[in-house]
Short mmCIF file of all heavy atoms in Angstrom, two decimals:
data_model
loop_
_atom_site.label_atom_id
_atom_site.label_comp_id
_atom_site.label_asym_id
_atom_site.label_seq_id
_atom_site.Cartn_x
_atom_site.Cartn_y
_atom_site.Cartn_z
N ILE A 203 -85.97 -114.96 -41.68
CA ILE A 203 -86.30 -115.36 -40.30
C ILE A 203 -86.21 -114.11 -39.43
O ILE A 203 -85.22 -113.84 -38.77
CB ILE A 203 -85.34 -116.45 -39.77
CG1 ILE A 203 -85.28 -117.62 -40.75
CG2 ILE A 203 -85.79 -116.92 -38.39
CD1 ILE A 203 -86.57 -118.38 -40.90
N GLY A 204 -87.28 -113.32 -39.46
CA GLY A 204 -87.32 -112.09 -38.68
C GLY A 204 -88.24 -112.22 -37.49
O GLY A 204 -88.19 -113.20 -36.76
N GLU A 205 -89.11 -111.23 -37.32
CA GLU A 205 -90.06 -111.23 -36.20
C GLU A 205 -91.27 -112.07 -36.60
O GLU A 205 -92.27 -111.54 -37.08
CB GLU A 205 -90.46 -109.80 -35.86
CG GLU A 205 -89.32 -108.92 -35.37
CD GLU A 205 -88.72 -109.45 -34.07
OE1 GLU A 205 -89.48 -109.91 -33.20
OE2 GLU A 205 -87.48 -109.42 -33.95
N ILE A 206 -91.17 -113.35 -36.42
CA ILE A 206 -92.27 -114.24 -36.79
C ILE A 206 -92.68 -115.10 -35.60
O ILE A 206 -91.88 -115.38 -34.71
CB ILE A 206 -91.88 -115.16 -37.98
CG1 ILE A 206 -90.62 -115.98 -37.67
CG2 ILE A 206 -91.68 -114.33 -39.25
CD1 ILE A 206 -90.25 -116.97 -38.77
N ALA A 207 -93.95 -115.51 -35.62
CA ALA A 207 -94.47 -116.33 -34.53
C ALA A 207 -94.10 -117.79 -34.70
O ALA A 207 -93.86 -118.51 -33.73
CB ALA A 207 -95.99 -116.19 -34.45
N LEU A 208 -94.05 -118.24 -35.96
CA LEU A 208 -93.62 -119.61 -36.25
C LEU A 208 -93.27 -119.73 -37.72
O LEU A 208 -93.56 -118.83 -38.51
CB LEU A 208 -94.68 -120.64 -35.84
CG LEU A 208 -96.09 -120.56 -36.42
CD1 LEU A 208 -96.16 -121.25 -37.77
CD2 LEU A 208 -97.08 -121.21 -35.48
N CYS A 209 -92.65 -120.85 -38.07
CA CYS A 209 -92.16 -121.06 -39.43
C CYS A 209 -92.50 -122.47 -39.90
O CYS A 209 -92.36 -123.44 -39.15
CB CYS A 209 -90.65 -120.83 -39.48
SG CYS A 209 -89.89 -121.15 -41.10
N ILE A 210 -92.94 -122.55 -41.15
CA ILE A 210 -93.17 -123.84 -41.81
C ILE A 210 -92.18 -123.94 -42.97
O ILE A 210 -92.15 -123.06 -43.84
CB ILE A 210 -94.60 -123.95 -42.36
CG1 ILE A 210 -95.64 -123.65 -41.29
CG2 ILE A 210 -94.82 -125.33 -42.98
CD1 ILE A 210 -95.66 -124.61 -40.15
N ASP A 211 -91.38 -125.00 -42.97
CA ASP A 211 -90.43 -125.21 -44.06
C ASP A 211 -90.91 -126.38 -44.90
O ASP A 211 -90.95 -127.52 -44.43
CB ASP A 211 -89.04 -125.50 -43.48
CG ASP A 211 -87.99 -125.72 -44.57
OD1 ASP A 211 -88.26 -125.36 -45.72
OD2 ASP A 211 -86.92 -126.27 -44.25
N ALA A 212 -91.29 -126.08 -46.15
CA ALA A 212 -91.88 -127.11 -47.01
C ALA A 212 -91.13 -127.18 -48.35
O ALA A 212 -91.74 -127.22 -49.41
CB ALA A 212 -93.35 -126.82 -47.25
N THR A 213 -89.81 -127.18 -48.30
CA THR A 213 -89.03 -127.29 -49.53
C THR A 213 -88.51 -128.71 -49.68
O THR A 213 -88.55 -129.52 -48.76
CB THR A 213 -87.83 -126.31 -49.52
OG1 THR A 213 -86.77 -126.87 -48.72
CG2 THR A 213 -88.22 -124.95 -48.98
N ASP A 214 -87.97 -129.00 -50.87
CA ASP A 214 -87.37 -130.32 -51.10
C ASP A 214 -85.84 -130.23 -51.12
O ASP A 214 -85.16 -131.12 -51.58
CB ASP A 214 -87.87 -130.92 -52.42
CG ASP A 214 -87.62 -130.01 -53.62
OD1 ASP A 214 -86.97 -128.94 -53.44
OD2 ASP A 214 -88.06 -130.36 -54.73
N SER A 215 -85.31 -129.12 -50.56
CA SER A 215 -83.87 -128.92 -50.49
C SER A 215 -83.36 -129.22 -49.08
O SER A 215 -83.74 -128.55 -48.12
CB SER A 215 -83.51 -127.48 -50.87
OG SER A 215 -82.16 -127.19 -50.54
N SER A 216 -82.51 -130.21 -48.95
CA SER A 216 -81.96 -130.58 -47.64
C SER A 216 -81.16 -129.43 -47.04
O SER A 216 -81.23 -129.18 -45.83
CB SER A 216 -81.08 -131.82 -47.78
OG SER A 216 -80.55 -132.19 -46.53
N ALA A 217 -80.43 -128.72 -47.88
CA ALA A 217 -79.60 -127.60 -47.39
C ALA A 217 -80.48 -126.48 -46.84
O ALA A 217 -80.19 -125.91 -45.77
CB ALA A 217 -78.71 -127.07 -48.52
N VAL A 218 -81.55 -126.16 -47.56
CA VAL A 218 -82.47 -125.10 -47.10
C VAL A 218 -83.16 -125.54 -45.82
O VAL A 218 -83.27 -124.77 -44.86
CB VAL A 218 -83.51 -124.76 -48.18
CG1 VAL A 218 -84.58 -123.82 -47.62
CG2 VAL A 218 -82.84 -124.12 -49.39
N ASN A 219 -83.62 -126.78 -45.79
CA ASN A 219 -84.29 -127.29 -44.60
C ASN A 219 -83.40 -127.21 -43.36
O ASN A 219 -83.83 -126.79 -42.29
CB ASN A 219 -84.72 -128.74 -44.82
CG ASN A 219 -85.77 -128.88 -45.91
OD1 ASN A 219 -86.41 -127.90 -46.29
ND2 ASN A 219 -85.94 -130.09 -46.41
N GLU A 220 -82.16 -127.60 -43.53
CA GLU A 220 -81.21 -127.57 -42.42
C GLU A 220 -80.97 -126.15 -41.95
O GLU A 220 -80.92 -125.88 -40.75
CB GLU A 220 -79.89 -128.22 -42.86
CG GLU A 220 -78.85 -128.29 -41.75
CD GLU A 220 -77.57 -128.98 -42.19
OE1 GLU A 220 -77.50 -129.43 -43.35
OE2 GLU A 220 -76.64 -129.07 -41.37
N ARG A 221 -80.84 -125.22 -42.90
CA ARG A 221 -80.57 -123.81 -42.56
C ARG A 221 -81.76 -123.18 -41.84
O ARG A 221 -81.60 -122.49 -40.83
CB ARG A 221 -80.23 -123.02 -43.82
CG ARG A 221 -79.79 -121.59 -43.56
CD ARG A 221 -78.53 -121.56 -42.74
NE ARG A 221 -78.11 -120.20 -42.42
CZ ARG A 221 -77.33 -119.91 -41.39
NH1 ARG A 221 -76.88 -120.86 -40.59
NH2 ARG A 221 -76.98 -118.66 -41.15
N VAL A 222 -82.96 -123.41 -42.37
CA VAL A 222 -84.16 -122.84 -41.77
C VAL A 222 -84.33 -123.35 -40.34
O VAL A 222 -84.58 -122.58 -39.41
CB VAL A 222 -85.41 -123.18 -42.61
CG1 VAL A 222 -86.68 -122.81 -41.84
CG2 VAL A 222 -85.37 -122.45 -43.94
N ALA A 223 -84.15 -124.67 -40.16
CA ALA A 223 -84.31 -125.26 -38.83
C ALA A 223 -83.28 -124.69 -37.86
O ALA A 223 -83.61 -124.38 -36.70
CB ALA A 223 -84.17 -126.77 -38.92
N ALA A 224 -82.04 -124.53 -38.31
CA ALA A 224 -80.98 -124.02 -37.44
C ALA A 224 -81.24 -122.57 -37.04
O ALA A 224 -81.07 -122.20 -35.87
CB ALA A 224 -79.64 -124.13 -38.16
N LEU A 225 -81.67 -121.75 -38.00
CA LEU A 225 -81.93 -120.34 -37.69
C LEU A 225 -83.10 -120.19 -36.72
O LEU A 225 -83.04 -119.39 -35.78
CB LEU A 225 -82.23 -119.58 -38.99
CG LEU A 225 -81.05 -119.31 -39.92
CD1 LEU A 225 -81.54 -118.85 -41.29
CD2 LEU A 225 -80.10 -118.28 -39.32
N CYS A 226 -84.16 -120.94 -36.95
CA CYS A 226 -85.33 -120.86 -36.07
C CYS A 226 -84.99 -121.36 -34.66
O CYS A 226 -85.40 -120.76 -33.67
CB CYS A 226 -86.48 -121.67 -36.65
SG CYS A 226 -87.25 -120.92 -38.10
N THR A 227 -84.23 -122.44 -34.59
CA THR A 227 -83.84 -122.98 -33.28
C THR A 227 -83.00 -121.97 -32.51
O THR A 227 -83.20 -121.77 -31.31
CB THR A 227 -83.06 -124.29 -33.47
OG1 THR A 227 -83.89 -125.24 -34.13
CG2 THR A 227 -82.63 -124.85 -32.12
N ALA A 228 -82.08 -121.32 -33.21
CA ALA A 228 -81.21 -120.33 -32.57
C ALA A 228 -82.01 -119.15 -32.03
O ALA A 228 -81.67 -118.58 -30.98
CB ALA A 228 -80.15 -119.85 -33.55
N LYS A 229 -83.09 -118.79 -32.74
CA LYS A 229 -83.92 -117.65 -32.32
C LYS A 229 -85.13 -118.07 -31.50
O LYS A 229 -85.99 -117.25 -31.19
CB LYS A 229 -84.37 -116.87 -33.57
CG LYS A 229 -83.24 -116.19 -34.31
CD LYS A 229 -83.77 -115.30 -35.42
CE LYS A 229 -82.65 -114.53 -36.11
NZ LYS A 229 -83.15 -113.58 -37.12
N LYS A 230 -85.18 -119.37 -31.17
CA LYS A 230 -86.30 -119.91 -30.38
C LYS A 230 -87.65 -119.66 -31.03
O LYS A 230 -88.65 -119.35 -30.37
CB LYS A 230 -86.27 -119.34 -28.95
CG LYS A 230 -85.05 -119.79 -28.15
CD LYS A 230 -85.08 -119.25 -26.75
CE LYS A 230 -83.98 -119.86 -25.89
NZ LYS A 230 -82.63 -119.78 -26.48
N ILE A 231 -87.69 -119.82 -32.36
CA ILE A 231 -88.92 -119.69 -33.13
C ILE A 231 -89.43 -121.10 -33.44
O ILE A 231 -88.68 -121.91 -33.97
CB ILE A 231 -88.68 -118.92 -34.44
CG1 ILE A 231 -88.26 -117.48 -34.15
CG2 ILE A 231 -89.93 -118.94 -35.33
CD1 ILE A 231 -87.77 -116.73 -35.38
N PRO A 232 -90.67 -121.41 -33.10
CA PRO A 232 -91.20 -122.74 -33.42
C PRO A 232 -91.10 -123.02 -34.92
O PRO A 232 -91.50 -122.18 -35.74
CB PRO A 232 -92.66 -122.66 -32.96
CG PRO A 232 -92.68 -121.57 -31.94
CD PRO A 232 -91.66 -120.57 -32.40
N VAL A 233 -90.59 -124.18 -35.28
CA VAL A 233 -90.41 -124.51 -36.70
C VAL A 233 -90.89 -125.93 -36.98
O VAL A 233 -90.69 -126.84 -36.17
CB VAL A 233 -88.93 -124.35 -37.12
CG1 VAL A 233 -88.03 -125.28 -36.31
CG2 VAL A 233 -88.75 -124.60 -38.61
N ASN A 234 -91.53 -126.08 -38.12
CA ASN A 234 -91.94 -127.39 -38.60
C ASN A 234 -91.31 -127.60 -39.97
O ASN A 234 -91.57 -126.84 -40.90
CB ASN A 234 -93.47 -127.48 -38.72
CG ASN A 234 -93.92 -128.80 -39.31
OD1 ASN A 234 -94.03 -128.94 -40.53
ND2 ASN A 234 -94.19 -129.78 -38.47
N VAL A 235 -90.45 -128.61 -40.07
CA VAL A 235 -89.85 -128.98 -41.34
C VAL A 235 -90.59 -130.21 -41.84
O VAL A 235 -90.50 -131.29 -41.24
CB VAL A 235 -88.34 -129.27 -41.19
CG1 VAL A 235 -87.73 -129.62 -42.56
CG2 VAL A 235 -87.63 -128.07 -40.59
N VAL A 236 -91.33 -130.04 -42.91
CA VAL A 236 -92.22 -131.09 -43.40
C VAL A 236 -91.45 -132.37 -43.70
O VAL A 236 -90.42 -132.35 -44.38
CB VAL A 236 -92.98 -130.61 -44.65
CG1 VAL A 236 -93.83 -131.74 -45.22
CG2 VAL A 236 -93.84 -129.40 -44.31
N ASP A 237 -91.94 -133.48 -43.17
CA ASP A 237 -91.38 -134.81 -43.40
C ASP A 237 -89.99 -135.02 -42.81
O ASP A 237 -89.30 -135.98 -43.15
CB ASP A 237 -91.35 -135.16 -44.89
CG ASP A 237 -92.76 -135.36 -45.46
OD1 ASP A 237 -93.66 -135.71 -44.67
OD2 ASP A 237 -92.94 -135.16 -46.66
N GLN A 238 -89.57 -134.12 -41.91
CA GLN A 238 -88.28 -134.28 -41.24
C GLN A 238 -88.49 -134.07 -39.74
O GLN A 238 -88.23 -132.98 -39.21
CB GLN A 238 -87.23 -133.33 -41.81
CG GLN A 238 -86.90 -133.62 -43.27
CD GLN A 238 -85.71 -132.84 -43.77
OE1 GLN A 238 -84.87 -132.38 -43.01
NE2 GLN A 238 -85.63 -132.68 -45.08
N VAL A 239 -88.95 -135.11 -39.09
CA VAL A 239 -89.33 -135.03 -37.68
C VAL A 239 -88.19 -134.54 -36.81
O VAL A 239 -88.39 -133.76 -35.86
CB VAL A 239 -89.81 -136.41 -37.19
CG1 VAL A 239 -90.11 -136.38 -35.71
CG2 VAL A 239 -91.02 -136.87 -37.98
N GLU A 240 -86.97 -134.96 -37.11
CA GLU A 240 -85.83 -134.61 -36.27
C GLU A 240 -85.52 -133.12 -36.27
O GLU A 240 -84.83 -132.62 -35.39
CB GLU A 240 -84.59 -135.41 -36.71
CG GLU A 240 -84.01 -135.02 -38.07
CD GLU A 240 -84.74 -135.62 -39.26
OE1 GLU A 240 -85.76 -136.32 -39.03
OE2 GLU A 240 -84.32 -135.39 -40.40
N ARG A 241 -86.03 -132.39 -37.26
CA ARG A 241 -85.77 -130.95 -37.34
C ARG A 241 -86.96 -130.11 -36.88
O ARG A 241 -86.92 -128.88 -36.95
CB ARG A 241 -85.38 -130.57 -38.78
CG ARG A 241 -83.99 -131.05 -39.16
CD ARG A 241 -83.67 -130.75 -40.60
NE ARG A 241 -82.27 -131.09 -40.90
CZ ARG A 241 -81.79 -131.27 -42.12
NH1 ARG A 241 -82.57 -131.16 -43.16
NH2 ARG A 241 -80.50 -131.57 -42.29
N CYS A 242 -88.00 -130.75 -36.43
CA CYS A 242 -89.22 -130.04 -36.01
C CYS A 242 -89.20 -129.73 -34.52
O CYS A 242 -88.80 -130.56 -33.71
CB CYS A 242 -90.46 -130.88 -36.31
SG CYS A 242 -90.78 -131.17 -38.06
N SER A 243 -89.66 -128.55 -34.17
CA SER A 243 -89.90 -128.24 -32.76
C SER A 243 -91.40 -128.34 -32.45
O SER A 243 -91.81 -128.26 -31.30
CB SER A 243 -89.38 -126.85 -32.40
OG SER A 243 -90.03 -125.85 -33.16
N PHE A 244 -92.23 -128.49 -33.50
CA PHE A 244 -93.65 -128.77 -33.32
C PHE A 244 -94.14 -129.49 -34.57
O PHE A 244 -93.54 -129.42 -35.64
CB PHE A 244 -94.46 -127.49 -33.08
CG PHE A 244 -94.70 -126.66 -34.33
CD1 PHE A 244 -95.88 -126.80 -35.06
CD2 PHE A 244 -93.76 -125.74 -34.77
CE1 PHE A 244 -96.11 -126.05 -36.20
CE2 PHE A 244 -93.98 -124.98 -35.90
CZ PHE A 244 -95.16 -125.13 -36.62
N TYR A 245 -95.24 -130.21 -34.40
CA TYR A 245 -95.87 -130.90 -35.52
C TYR A 245 -97.08 -130.11 -36.00
O TYR A 245 -97.82 -129.56 -35.20
CB TYR A 245 -96.32 -132.31 -35.12
CG TYR A 245 -95.19 -133.21 -34.67
CD1 TYR A 245 -95.29 -133.93 -33.49
CD2 TYR A 245 -94.03 -133.32 -35.42
CE1 TYR A 245 -94.26 -134.75 -33.07
CE2 TYR A 245 -92.99 -134.14 -35.01
CZ TYR A 245 -93.11 -134.84 -33.83
OH TYR A 245 -92.08 -135.64 -33.42
#
């Protein structure tokens, strides 16, 4: 999670999904976690 415009998380690991969403949220990077609406900042 470096200098990126946005992030798509498409894994089947709950731990990875949670970590990716948390890191992107902290850095104010738009993130979409597939099939997990509560962790998405965009669809």
Side-chain angles (χ1 to χ4, degrees):
I203 307 295
E205 297 297 320
I206 57 176
L208 58 84
C209 177
I210 307 295
D211 181 15
T213 79
D214 56 5
S215 168
S216 180
V218 172
N219 295 343
E220 183 178 358
R221 186 62 182 157
V222 170
L225 288 167
C226 288
T227 299
K229 293 187 176 184
K230 294 182 172 52
I231 296 170
V233 60
N234 176 272
V235 182
V236 176
D237 291 334
Q238 295 189 22
V239 175
E240 69 280 3
R241 288 176 173 161
C242 295
S243 60
F244 76 95
Y245 299 131

